[in-house]
Amino acid sequence: MVGEAAPEMRDRFTRVLKGHIALATARFPEGTIGMQLDSFARRPLWDAGLDYDHGTGHGVDRICRCMKGRRTSPRSRCCRP
């Protein structure tokens, strides 16, 4: 990107950041699975009538090199929570 971010881009970035923070600071009991935490990440987007069309954690498999495992949301195809 060159130049200043448009207001819509700033809004989306801020909502995704809030979701990251909410998920990173969530306290939950041992045994909780990723699908049960998915809403923590999505809520700031849902509040604005937005969503993303992939599982929370999508792309993490490239970092952790896992190709199969538990899903982090009903939409994800792989990745471990």
Side-chain angles (χ1 to χ4, degrees), residues 29-46:
E30 186 174 331
T32 302
I33 61 172
M35 285 192 319
Q36 295 168 314
L37 299 172
D38 192 68
S39 60
F40 284 86
R42 293 178 187 268
R43 182 170 180 192
L45 290 166
W46 288 345

Side-chain angles (χ1 to χ4, degrees), residues 23 34 37-39 41-42 52 54-58 60 72-73 76 78-79:
L23 190 54
L37 299 172
D38 192 68
S39 60
R42 293 178 187 268
Y52 47 90
H54 55 76
T56 301
H58 173 74
V60 174
T72 58
S73 88
S76 66
C78 71
C79 303

Side-chain angles (χ1 to χ4, degrees), residues 6-67:
E8 181 181 20
M9 290 175 73
R10 296 178 133 207
D11 175 71
R12 300 310 189 266
F13 179 87
T14 301
R15 290 178 186 283
V16 170
L17 178 60
K18 286 180 177 183
H20 277 277
I21 292 169
L23 190 54
T25 59
R27 295 187 62 163
F28 48 88
E30 186 174 331
T32 302
I33 61 172
M35 285 192 319
Q36 295 168 314
L37 299 172
D38 192 68
S39 60
F40 284 86
R42 293 178 187 268
R43 182 170 180 192
L45 290 166
W46 288 345
D47 288 345
L50 303 167
D51 203 356
Y52 47 90
D53 194 24
H54 55 76
T56 301
H58 173 74
V60 174
D61 59 320
R62 290 186 174 268
I63 296 168
C64 69
R65 297 189 179 132
C66 64
M67 297 309 287

